[in-house]
């Protein structure tokens, strides 16, 4: 059986040839409805993206394009009043470091819409404490950074991608500094470089323990001052607008819901960048902000994009454990408070509640082991001792050093009665980062023409089976920059007819349901969300087994079918959209992608540890790839709201 998926831009093409027993499994994909999904593993990332099979392309210039574009420059919500369809050269979904950095470059060549789900600063970038890794010290080297990345990634990283990112990283840091980002400096006047788990050198550029916030501040300031960039706040991306041109899937924009006015706003664009972040909220405890519900990954999957390595979910080993604080928070947090990797890098020691240091029992690198090792070690201690958290102690360091390096953490803990300069910090693992996502080439291109990806939503091959600390902001910066030129080239070669905006049916808000039915839908959706998160934590967590994964797959399929049935009983229609309902369909989609990928990997590697296959297998050192295949049936959660069109 051969599944051919055309790739992104230019001459990039690829396919997978699946023989008997090569990983094509019939899977309960969503809602208990059977889908045929092809999951393949292949060794070379770049080969997998571009070199396996050349497919005869149709002439893209034959698509209905013209040069009539209406740039919209005002950076306020009042932009919405001039109609429900907007036309831009570039549409960017997400306002983290990847989306903003890309916006500033492509704005030199056309009109740009930055579409953000909440306020522009509400992104995973803003919550990144540790810093950005880059080779900026004479004693360090690109080869050393590459080695650390590949070792942390359990040798599943794509070497070409790793080399590109580690080589280009220093220039991306210098660009941020030139734009006004302020990082910590040492007494010698040079950048202060921290060290974190998995790194052999001090190479972490940081702004105290609020690095992401500082980078976001500098980028947002530049974006607001750019007349070619319009920022659309509180716009939830519903689905990508795609059509089929012979064998090619082409992205021509995105439908969004203005969650303040409840208007559906359509963005027609020549180029679309997905920079929407991760999917931490498929789990009940996550360091991610509330907006991280896997929207980009789910939208791309529904739009026929290739997905890769979704089994590798990184659990940060040290999130603040509220149960261990002297003064308990009065209400549950929306997202767990992160205790940065840099605390361990700066000498922090992990103890169980008996004040026994345990990391040397698990790994010779002790507290400086990579995150997957530390998270599993903590998980093992908690289960063996039947405890709810462990301690991370930095109090042996000088008080002034602690307060200067970790002011945000110190202030957060102090308001709950904990002085980190004198007392250990209670910590517990929490879902933190998706190493998998939409499969991308070396310039952020995907197999969907006109669609690029950068940041956590992308799977570039950098992280392999486990992300090295502080490589996420680095990857976002590098790939946002690398996606610029091919995006400009694609934009200039595209001629889009404005009438295209009416080719797709429009989603509608459920105003016809009435308040009673809507209250029932929202109540059921919130209950379902908690049930999904509970299943994922209990059965698809840090340590897995085939039986537990299969149970989770079955239970989530049943849960989704029950939820969808309830919605339609209340009068919900397939074209209806609402924020919480659409988030729920995306969470279901991402959860199923994680489970299907985990079931396909018959070994333990990096972040994926299964008791049934507890060892590394060299023959299985291959990325997991989910190709879209024709579905037998489809559900509301698994399909685009509009019908696939022919260009």
């Amino acid at each position: 059986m051969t599944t051919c998926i055309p790739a992104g831009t230019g001459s990039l093409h690829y396919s997978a040839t699946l023989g008997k027993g090569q990983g094509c499994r019939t899977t309960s994909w969503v809602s208990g409805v059977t889908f045929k999904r092809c999951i393949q593993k292949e060794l070379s990332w770049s080969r997998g993206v571009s070199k396996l099979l050349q497919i005869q392309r149709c002439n893209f210039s034959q698509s209905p394009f013209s040069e009539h574009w209406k740039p919209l420059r005002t950076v306020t919500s009042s932009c919405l009043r001039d109609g429900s369809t907007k036309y831009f050269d570039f549409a960017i979904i997400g306002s983290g470091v990847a989306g903003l950095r890309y916006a500033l470059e492509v704005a030199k060549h056309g009109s740009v819409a930055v579409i953000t789900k909440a306020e522009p600063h509400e992104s995973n970038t803003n919550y990144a404490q540790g810093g950005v890794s880059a080779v900026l010290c004479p004693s360090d080297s690109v080869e050393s950074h590459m080695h650390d990345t590949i070792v942390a990634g359990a040798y599943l990283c794509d070497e070409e991608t790793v080399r590109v990112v580690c080589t280009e990283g220093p220039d991306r840091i210098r660009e941020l500094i030139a734009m006004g980002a302020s990082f910590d400096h040492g007494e010698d006047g040079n950048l202060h470089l921290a060290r974190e788990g998995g790194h052999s050198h001090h190479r972490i550029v940081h702004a105290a323990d609020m690095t992401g916030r500082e980078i976001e501040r500098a980028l947002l300031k530049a974006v607001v001052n750019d007349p070619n960039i319009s920022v659309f706040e509180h716009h939830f991306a519903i689905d990508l607008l795609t059509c089929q041109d012979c064998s090619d899937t082409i992205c021509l924009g995105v439908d969004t819901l203005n969650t303040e006015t409840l208007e559906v706003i359509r963005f027609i664009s020549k180029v679309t960048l997905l920079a929407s972040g991760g999917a931490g909220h498929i789990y009940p405890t996550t360091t991610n902000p509330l907006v991280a519900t896997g929207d980009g990954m789910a939208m791309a999957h529904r739009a026929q994009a290739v997905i890769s390595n979704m089994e590798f979910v990184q659990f940060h080993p040290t999130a603040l454990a509220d149960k261990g604080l002297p003064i308990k928070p009065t209400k549950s947090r929306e997202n767990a408070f992160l205790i940065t990797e840099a605390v361990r890098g700066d000498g922090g020691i992990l103890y169980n509640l008996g004040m026994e240091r345990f990391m040397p029992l698990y790994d010779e690198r002790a507290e400086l082991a990579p995150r997957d090792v530390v998270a599993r070690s903590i998980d093992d201690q908690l289960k063996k001792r039947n405890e709810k958290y462990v301690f991370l102690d930095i109090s042996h360091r000088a008080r002034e050093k602690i307060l200067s390096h970790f002011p945000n953490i110190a202030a957060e803990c102090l308001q709950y009665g904990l002085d980190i300069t004198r007392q250990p910090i209670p910590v517990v693992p929490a879902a933190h980062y998706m190493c998998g996502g939409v499969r991308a080439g070396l310039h952020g291109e995907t197999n969907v023409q006109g669609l690029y990806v950068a940041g956590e939503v992308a799977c570039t091959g950098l992280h392999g089976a486990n992300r090295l600390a502080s490589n996420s902001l680095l990857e976002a910066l590098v790939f946002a920059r690398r996606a610029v030129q091919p995006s400009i080239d694609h934009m200039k070669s595209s001629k889009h007819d404005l009438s295209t905006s009416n080719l797709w049916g429009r989603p509608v808000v459920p105003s016809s349901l009435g308040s009673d039915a809507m209250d029932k839908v929202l109540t059921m959706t919130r209950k379902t969300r908690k049930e999904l998160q509970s299943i994922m934590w209990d059965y698809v967590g840090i340590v897995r087994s085939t039986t537990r994964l299969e149970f989770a797959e079955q239970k989530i399929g049943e849960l989704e079918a029950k939820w969808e049935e309830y919605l339609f009983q209340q009068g919900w229609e397939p074209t209806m959209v609402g924020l919480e309902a659409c988030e729920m369909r995306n969470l279901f989609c991402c959860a199923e992608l994680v489970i299907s990928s985990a079931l396909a990997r018959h070994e333990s590697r990096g972040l994926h540890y299964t008791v049934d296959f507890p060892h590394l297998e060299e023959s299985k050192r291959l990325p997991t790839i989910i190709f879209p295949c024709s579905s037998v049936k489809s559900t509301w959660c698994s399909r685009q709201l509009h019908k696939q069109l022919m260009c």
Side-chain angles (χ1 to χ4, degrees):
M1 175 182 177
T2 301
T3 303
C4 300
I5 309 294
T9 60
S11 60
L12 287 179
H13 316 274
Y14 62 91
S15 80
T17 302
L18 301 180
K20 185 177 180 180
Q22 277 190 278
C24 187
R25 56 193 295 266
T26 301
T27 306
S28 174
W29 197 248
V30 279
S31 297
V33 178
T34 301
F35 273 69
K36 197 171 184 65
R37 286 289 182 247
C38 299
I39 300 179
Q40 164 144 353
K41 300 175 183 177
E42 47 189 52
L43 186 61
S44 169
W45 195 268
S46 56
R47 174 178 164 81
V49 173
S50 61
K51 299 177 183 176
L52 280 182
L53 181 67
Q54 294 293 316
I55 300 172
Q56 184 63 42
R57 296 185 69 85
C58 301
N59 188 345
F60 185 56
S61 63
Q62 293 176 355
S63 301
F65 285 78
S66 81
E67 286 300 322
H68 301 291
W69 288 87
K70 179 184 178 183
L72 186 60
R73 300 174 183 273
T74 309
V75 193
T76 67
S77 59
S78 63
C79 304
L80 300 170
R81 296 171 187 163
D82 66 352
S84 60
T85 302
K86 311 293 179 188
Y87 300 91
F88 288 88
D89 294 313
F90 304 93
I92 300 167
I93 303 169
S95 59
V97 60
L100 297 182
R101 189 67 193 89
Y102 174 89
L104 289 167
E105 293 301 321
V106 296
K108 300 170 185 176
H109 302 271
S111 57
V112 180
V114 175
I115 301 160
T116 182
K117 189 172 175 179
E119 287 80 20
H121 66 268
E122 189 66 5
S123 65
N124 278 356
T125 297
N126 202 47
Y127 290 83
Q129 293 181 354
V132 190
S133 59
V135 177
L136 294 164
C137 176
S139 63
D140 198 1
S141 67
V142 168
E143 287 71 24
S144 178
H145 192 182
M146 288 181 62
H147 177 264
D148 293 346
T149 298
I150 291 169
V151 169
Y155 297 92
L156 196 65
C157 310
D158 176 66
E159 186 173 344
E160 187 177 6
T161 302
V162 175
R163 183 175 297 280
V164 162
V165 172
C166 294
T167 301
E168 297 182 8
D171 283 343
R172 302 292 83 83
I173 299 295
R174 294 182 187 103
E175 288 172 356
L176 285 178
I177 294 171
M179 292 171 60
S182 179
F183 299 114
D184 289 359
H185 288 70
E187 294 178 358
D188 60 0
N190 294 319
L191 285 170
H192 181 271
L193 302 177
R195 183 183 176 191
E196 296 179 349
H199 288 274
S200 58
H201 290 74
H202 288 76
R203 62 167 71 100
I204 314 302
V205 179
H206 62 99
D209 57 352
M210 297 171 283
T211 308
R213 189 179 304 177
E214 172 58 19
I215 293 173
E216 186 83 358
R217 180 204 63 77
L219 291 174
L220 275 174
K221 182 179 179 181
V223 163
V224 167
N225 291 327
D226 193 310
N228 262 8
I229 302 175
S230 302
V231 179
F232 294 84
E233 299 180 359
H234 301 286
H235 278 57
F236 172 78
I238 301 166
D239 261 325
L240 298 170
L241 298 171
T242 59
C243 64
Q244 204 70 25
D245 184 7
C246 296
S247 62
D248 293 343
T249 301
I250 302 167
C251 181
L252 299 172
V254 61
D255 273 336
T256 71
L257 174 67
N258 182 329
T259 55
E260 291 191 323
T261 67
L262 299 183
E263 290 180 85
V264 172
I265 307 297
R266 174 162 288 174
F267 290 84
I268 301 296
S269 59
K270 298 178 180 180
V271 175
T272 302
L273 176 80
L274 263 183
S276 52
H281 282 276
I282 59 175
Y283 293 95
T285 305
T286 176
T287 60
N288 293 181
L290 275 177
V291 295
T293 52
D295 308 324
M297 296 168 184
M299 282 192 300
H301 178 62
R302 290 192 292 264
Q304 306 296 298
V306 176
I307 306 294
S308 188
N309 285 359
M310 288 293 284
E311 68 268 39
F312 299 118
V313 181
Q314 186 173 82
F315 291 83
H316 198 289
T318 56
L320 185 63
D322 290 344
K323 291 181 180 179
L325 292 170
I327 301 172
K328 305 297 185 289
T330 55
K331 61 179 181 178
S332 298
R333 297 177 189 268
E334 293 178 346
N335 54 295
F337 184 82
L338 178 68
I339 305 299
T340 174
E341 191 96 8
V343 174
R344 286 187 286 118
D346 208 33
I349 299 173
L350 285 163
Y351 297 96
N352 58 34
L353 297 194
M355 292 309 292
E356 300 166 332
R357 187 182 183 188
F358 58 84
M359 275 310 301
L361 303 175
Y362 295 94
D363 194 283
E364 63 183 10
R365 294 165 290 185
E367 281 78 12
L368 291 178
R371 288 177 178 177
D372 60 324
V373 176
V374 180
R376 275 197 304 276
S377 303
I378 293 174
D379 184 68
D380 188 57
Q381 285 285 306
L382 297 180
K383 289 174 178 174
K384 283 180 177 177
R385 297 174 58 88
N386 193 29
E387 293 171 348
K388 299 297 183 184
Y389 54 88
V390 299
F391 286 130
L392 176 61
D393 190 19
I394 191 69
S395 64
H396 54 279
R397 302 286 286 175
R399 175 182 174 85
E400 295 75 19
K401 292 279 189 181
I402 295 171
L403 295 178
S404 64
H405 288 181
F406 310 113
N408 191 41
I409 293 173
E412 178 70 18
C413 290
L414 195 59
Q415 68 174 313
Y416 297 107
L418 185 76
D419 182 354
I420 69 170
T421 67
R422 301 175 62 186
Q423 299 164 280
I425 307 167
V427 294
V428 68
H432 183 59
Y433 190 87
M434 304 294 292
C435 289
V438 184
R439 190 170 169 91
L442 283 171
H443 292 88
E445 72 275 26
T446 71
N447 63 295
V448 177
Q449 277 201 40
L451 179 66
Y452 297 81
V453 289
E456 190 174 350
V457 72
C459 186
T460 65
L462 174 68
H463 306 308
N466 177 43
R467 177 173 69 81
L468 181 64
S470 291
N471 266 3
S472 55
L473 292 176
L474 174 70
E475 179 196 40
L477 287 166
V478 170
F479 273 88
R481 194 67 180 82
R482 289 183 69 84
V484 169
Q485 192 54 54
S487 296
I488 294 167
D489 294 342
H490 185 88
M491 182 273 292
K492 289 181 177 179
S493 67
S494 301
K495 299 177 180 180
H496 192 17
D497 188 343
L498 296 185
S499 64
T500 301
S501 64
N502 298 317
L503 293 179
W504 301 275
R506 286 185 180 265
V508 295
V509 295
S511 54
S512 61
L513 290 191
S515 59
D516 185 55
M518 274 306 303
D519 287 344
K520 290 179 179 179
V521 165
L522 288 174
T523 299
M524 180 63 167
T525 299
R526 289 164 186 168
K527 177 175 178 287
T528 301
R529 180 166 172 157
K530 289 182 179 179
E531 289 184 40
L532 171 74
Q533 292 170 332
S534 179
I535 293 169
M536 291 297 291
W537 181 254
D538 291 341
Y539 300 98
V540 198
I542 296 171
V543 177
R544 302 164 177 173
S545 73
T546 300
T547 300
R548 295 171 76 81
L549 288 170
E550 288 175 344
F551 179 80
E553 185 175 52
Q554 176 190 338
K555 294 298 290 183
I556 288 175
E558 293 171 356
L559 182 65
E560 186 175 4
K562 178 182 175 183
W563 175 70
E564 282 196 14
E565 182 181 7
Y566 184 86
L567 259 63
F568 292 120
Q569 285 176 350
Q570 299 303 315
W572 196 271
E573 297 178 4
T575 56
M576 286 183 175
V577 292
L579 174 61
E580 292 187 52
C582 287
E583 283 186 333
M584 192 70 247
R585 74 197 275 255
N586 293 337
L587 290 168
F588 271 122
C589 182
C590 288
E592 290 289 351
L593 289 169
V594 170
I595 295 169
S596 291
S597 299
L599 282 168
R601 183 167 293 280
H602 294 171
E603 65 162 352
S604 289
R605 184 179 295 274
L607 298 164
H608 174 70
Y609 183 85
T610 170
V611 297
D612 296 305
F613 306 98
H615 304 295
L616 281 172
E617 297 286 347
E618 178 59 26
S619 63
K620 300 183 186 301
R621 186 167 63 89
L622 310 163
T624 306
I625 302 174
I626 301 178
F627 290 93
C629 304
S630 298
S631 59
V632 178
K633 295 181 181 179
S634 63
T635 64
W636 185 63
C637 291
S638 63
R639 65 173 179 260
Q640 292 177 307
L641 297 188
H642 59 79
K643 292 181 179 179
Q644 182 72 280
L645 302 172
M646 299 303 295
C647 292

